[in-house]
Amino acid sequence: MAAEAQNELVQVVALLGAGVVAVPIFRRLGLGSVLGYFAAGLVIGPFGLALFSDSGTILHVAEFGVIMLLFVIGLEMQPSRLWSLRREIFGLGVGQVVASGALLTLAGVAAGLDARVAFVAGMGFVLSSTAVVMQMLDERGDTSTPQGQKAVSILLLEDLAIVPLLAVVAFIAPTGAGEDMSDRWRDIALGVGAVVVLVVAGRYLLNPMFRILARSQAREVMTAAALLVVLGAALLMEIGGLSMAMGAFLAGVLLSESTFRHQLEADIEPFRGILLGLFFLAVGMSLDLAAIAIHWQVILGFTALFIAVKGVAIFGVARALGSSSREAVDRVALFAQGGEFAFVLYSAAAAVGILDAPTNAIFTAVVILSMALTPLTALVLKRLAPRPAQSLDGVEQADGLTGQVLVIGFGRFAQVASQSLLARGCDISIIEIDVEMIDAAATFGFKVYYGDGTRLDTLRASGAGEARAVLVCVDKQEAAEKIVELVKSEFPLAKLLVRAFDRGHAMDLVRAGVDYQIRETFESAMAFGEAALTALGVPEEEAAEIAADVRRRDLERFDLQVAGDIYSGTSLIRGNAPIPTPLTRPRRPGRIMDRAREQPHGG
C-alpha cells in the first residue's frame, strides 16, 4: 500500500512538473501552451518515460476542464447576447459543419473507405476541439472580439451536432447492431427532457439557492455550490445522452445575468485552468506511437488529407459568408483539426460495428495528431499570411496642408490637447495612421488626414516646413523618437512639443532638444493624488500646497536625472517602506572608512 501511494504521488508530481516545465518553454518559443502540454504528455506518457500506463483515466477526469471552460464561457453569454449570435450559430456554424462533413466524407470514399466508415471518420473530424480552440483564443485575447464570438458560435453548433450524429450512427449501423425505432424515440425524448429540466432548474432554483448560501458567508460553501452546479448540469446532460460540455454551457448562460456571476467565475477559474491543462497532457499521453509506427503512412496520409480538405471547406464557407481572406485563413488555423467529441463518435461507431478496432485506433490517432499540430499550423499560417492591406476608402491623405500647428497622432491624448488650440482659433492640421481612428474622429467633427509622421515626405506634405509648432502625440516611443529626429533635422524653426511615454522617455526627449515634453500620465496622476487628499478631509489649500511640493521635488529629481542617470535624486521620492532603527550605535565614520580601505578590491 505504501509503495502504491508513493507511486501515485510520483505521478501527481510528474503531471504538475511536466506542465510547469514545458509550458513556459513553449510559450517563450512562441509555440503556445497547448503544444507545450501535448509535448509534456508525450514525454511522461506510456510511449515516453512510461510514468503512466493508462492515459484514458486521466483523460476522462481532465475532460471536466473542458466542461468548466464551457461553463465560464456561458457566464459571459447573456441570453440577449446569445440571441444576437443566432445567425453565426445556425448560419456560419451549420454551413461549416455541412460543407466540411460532405467534403471529408467524399475524400474518405475517394481514399478507398467504405461509405459508412468515411462518413463517421469525416464527421468525427468535423467536430473541432473546443479545448484547443478556446485556449488559443484566450492566449491571443480574441475571445471577446467579433472573430472570437464567431468561433464560439461555431463551437456551440458543433457541440450540438454530436446529438444528431450519434442518432445517425445508430441508424446506419449494420443490421442487428443498432437500436430499434422505439429506442431512438426514447433517447430523443430523454435528451429533450434533460434540457427542459436544466432550463427550469436554472431559471427558478439556482439564484434562490445562491442567495441562501451567500447569507452563510462561507466562501468554501459557495465554491462547492459552483462545482455542484457545473458537474450536476454535466451529469444531467450525460443522462439525457447529450454533451456534458453543452450542459455546463447552458448552466452558465442561465446564471449569466445573476448577481453571483463574477463570484462563480472566480470560484471555478482555478479548477478550470488545472483540469484543462491535465486534459491537454492526457491527449499527449494518448498519442499511440506504436500504432503510428505500424500504420504511420496511413495515419499521416489521412491527417494531411483531412486537415487540407477541412481547411478548404472552412475557407470557402468563411469567404462565402463575407469574411476577408485573412479572417478565413485565421479560422482555418483554429478549426482544421478534430476534437474530443470525435472520440465519442468513434467509440459509438465501434460499439455498433461500423468501425473495427484497427480502424478506430487509426482515426483516433489522426484526430490526436491533428490536435497536436494545430498550434504549429496556426503559427505557420500566421507567418505566411500576408498582412492585411489597410483600406483608405473615404480617407483623405495628407497633401499640401498649411496649418500653423501640425498634430501628429490623434488618440485620446491629442483629442484633449487640441481643444485649447481650437478654442483660441488656431489653424491646425492633424495626421494619423489608424484609419478606424480617422473615421471615428470624423463622427465628432474632426478633419483628420491619413499620414505616417515617421516619413519625411509625409511631414513635408503635412506642412511641417510652414508650421509654427509640431505636436507629437503618438503613443509609441519609437515612433515619437523618429519624428523628433526628423523634425529637429529638417524643420528646426518649428517649436517641437512631444508626448512622453514615461520618465525615461522624457529624459531622452530633453536631451534631444525638444521645446516641451510631458509624461502622458503625470498631470492626471497629480490631480488624482490631490483629489484623494481632499476626499480624506484635508483642506483644499493644504492639499494644493502638498501637490505643489510634490511637483517641485519631482522637477528637481528630473533635472538631476537628466544630468546624471535614472537613479539620481532618489532621496527626493517619498516612499512607504519602514526605515529600521539601528540596534547599536553606529561607529565613527572615520573608523568605518579606515576598515573599508583595508578590504580587498578584487572580485
Side-chain angles (χ1 to χ4, degrees):
M1 285 294 291
E4 184 177 343
Q6 185 178 9
N7 184 52
E8 290 177 354
L9 184 59
V10 169
Q11 291 181 334
V12 171
V13 171
L15 281 172
L16 296 175
V20 167
V21 171
V23 171
I25 293 174
F26 275 72
R27 293 199 69 167
R28 185 67 180 268
L29 295 174
L31 300 176
S33 60
V34 175
L35 195 58
Y37 281 121
F38 284 156
L42 189 61
V43 169
I44 65 175
F47 307 100
L49 299 176
L51 297 176
F52 297 86
S53 57
D54 183 14
S55 60
T57 303
I58 297 173
L59 184 62
H60 182 68
V61 173
E63 281 176 355
F64 289 109
V66 181
I67 291 169
M68 292 181 184
L69 172 65
L70 266 292
F71 177 73
V72 173
I73 295 170
L75 288 174
E76 302 292 333
M77 289 279 187
Q78 288 85 0
S80 57
R81 187 177 176 189
L82 196 59
W83 178 250
S84 69
L85 291 172
R86 63 190 182 281
R87 291 182 59 187
E88 285 78 9
I89 295 173
F90 296 104
L92 180 59
V94 169
Q96 182 167 308
V97 168
V98 171
S100 300
L103 289 181
L104 286 169
T105 300
L106 291 174
V109 171
L113 298 177
D114 175 78
R116 289 180 299 182
V117 174
F119 173 80
V120 172
M123 293 309 298
F125 203 84
V126 165
L127 306 177
S128 306
S129 172
T130 301
V132 172
V133 174
M134 290 308 303
Q135 182 77 3
M136 291 175 65
L137 286 174
D138 188 50
E139 286 183 0
R140 288 158 36 174
D142 289 344
T143 307
S144 299
T145 64
Q147 294 309 311
Q149 293 300 290
K150 287 181 181 179
V152 171
S153 302
I154 295 169
L155 290 172
L156 289 177
L157 194 282
E158 289 179 353
D159 277 0
L160 290 170
I162 188 64
V163 181
L165 284 175
L166 289 172
V168 171
V169 164
F171 183 77
I172 66 174
T175 305
E179 301 173 319
D180 58 31
M181 189 58 67
S182 62
D183 289 334
R184 293 171 191 162
W185 282 114
R186 184 198 63 201
D187 291 343
I188 292 172
L190 197 59
V192 172
V195 172
V196 170
V197 169
L198 179 59
V199 171
V200 171
R203 189 170 182 83
Y204 298 105
L205 297 180
L206 292 185
N207 271 317
M209 180 187 78
F210 279 111
R211 275 196 291 270
I212 293 171
L213 294 176
R215 293 193 192 106
S216 69
Q217 297 184 347
R219 176 69 183 271
E220 67 279 4
V221 173
M222 290 292 288
T223 302
L227 290 172
L228 174 64
V229 168
V230 177
L231 301 182
L235 176 62
L236 183 60
M237 289 295 104
E238 186 179 40
I239 292 172
L242 303 177
S243 159
M244 291 194 294
M246 190 178 75
F249 175 80
L250 284 176
V253 170
L254 293 169
L255 287 167
S256 61
E257 294 179 336
S258 166
T259 55
F260 304 100
R261 178 168 70 92
H262 297 294
Q263 180 66 46
L264 291 170
E265 188 172 353
D267 288 339
I268 290 296
E269 187 64 29
F271 300 98
R272 180 195 72 87
I274 292 174
L275 289 173
L276 201 57
L278 281 179
F279 174 81
F280 293 129
L281 282 168
V283 171
M285 292 181 203
S286 303
L287 196 58
D288 191 340
L289 297 184
I292 291 176
I294 297 172
H295 305 288
W296 68 270
Q297 292 175 313
V298 176
I299 292 172
L300 291 180
F302 270 111
T303 301
L305 176 65
F306 277 10
I307 288 177
V309 171
K310 187 178 180 183
V312 169
I314 294 169
F315 186 87
V317 170
R319 292 290 288 145
L321 294 180
S323 295
S324 66
S325 294
R326 187 173 180 84
E327 289 173 357
V329 169
D330 187 58
R331 198 169 300 156
V332 169
L334 284 173
F335 285 93
Q337 91 283 109
E340 47 274 6
F341 286 121
F343 308 144
V344 177
L345 191 66
Y346 293 165
S347 297
V352 296
I354 297 176
L355 298 181
D356 56 26
T359 305
N360 186 15
I362 287 172
F363 284 108
T364 297
V366 166
V367 169
I368 294 173
L369 191 57
S370 72
M371 291 170 69
L373 290 174
T374 297
L376 282 177
T377 305
L379 191 65
V380 170
L381 288 176
K382 182 181 178 181
R383 297 280 171 85
L384 296 179
R387 291 187 178 276
Q390 192 163 220
S391 173
L392 298 179
D393 293 342
V395 176
E396 193 173 344
Q397 297 196 51
D399 187 21
L401 304 184
T402 57
Q404 65 182 125
V405 177
L406 173 60
V407 178
I408 304 174
F410 201 63
R412 59 185 185 274
F413 183 91
Q415 290 164 19
V416 175
S418 66
Q419 290 300 290
S420 299
L421 297 169
L422 293 169
R424 184 64 175 78
C426 296
D427 180 18
I428 69 173
S429 300
I430 308 170
I431 62 172
E432 169 64 60
I433 60 171
D434 187 339
V435 174
E436 291 184 5
M437 182 65 73
I438 294 173
D439 292 336
T443 63
F444 290 94
F446 292 98
K447 178 61 178 177
V448 182
Y449 296 88
Y450 179 84
D452 182 358
T454 62
R455 294 169 55 98
L456 181 58
D457 57 343
T458 300
L459 290 175
R460 287 201 173 105
S462 302
E466 294 77 31
R468 293 177 57 190
V470 176
L471 277 58
V472 182
C473 303
V474 297
D475 58 1
K476 289 184 172 57
Q477 180 175 340
E478 298 81 6
E481 290 173 350
K482 177 66 174 175
I483 296 169
V484 167
E485 181 183 346
L486 287 174
V487 173
K488 291 294 293 182
S489 172
E490 302 295 329
F491 314 105
L493 298 180
K495 295 289 185 180
L496 186 55
L497 298 86
V498 188
R499 166 192 184 181
F501 177 73
D502 57 17
R503 196 177 193 89
H505 186 208
M507 292 160 56
D508 292 338
L509 292 173
V510 170
R511 293 176 184 132
V514 303
D515 295 285
Y516 181 79
Q517 54 72 32
I518 185 170
R519 284 164 278 155
E520 58 186 10
T521 59
F522 179 72
E523 291 296 337
S524 57
M526 288 296 303
F528 193 85
E530 186 174 344
L533 288 176
T534 57
L536 293 173
V538 178
E540 291 186 7
E541 297 79 5
E542 184 181 351
E545 289 176 5
I546 293 173
D549 180 63
V550 171
R551 191 184 300 275
R552 179 191 60 77
R553 293 166 72 94
D554 182 85
L555 180 60
E556 185 179 345
R557 183 165 71 97
F558 185 80
D559 290 339
L560 291 171
Q561 289 174 317
V562 171
D565 58 29
I566 195 68
Y567 298 104
S568 300
T570 305
S571 60
L572 294 168
I573 303 175
R574 289 188 173 91
N576 67 338
I579 301 174
T581 303
L583 297 177
T584 60
R585 188 172 181 176
R587 305 180 197 178
R588 286 192 303 108
R591 292 187 61 188
I592 295 175
M593 292 301 295
D594 292 340
R595 292 290 299 276
R597 293 190 190 100
E598 296 171 5
Q599 299 299 319
H601 295 283

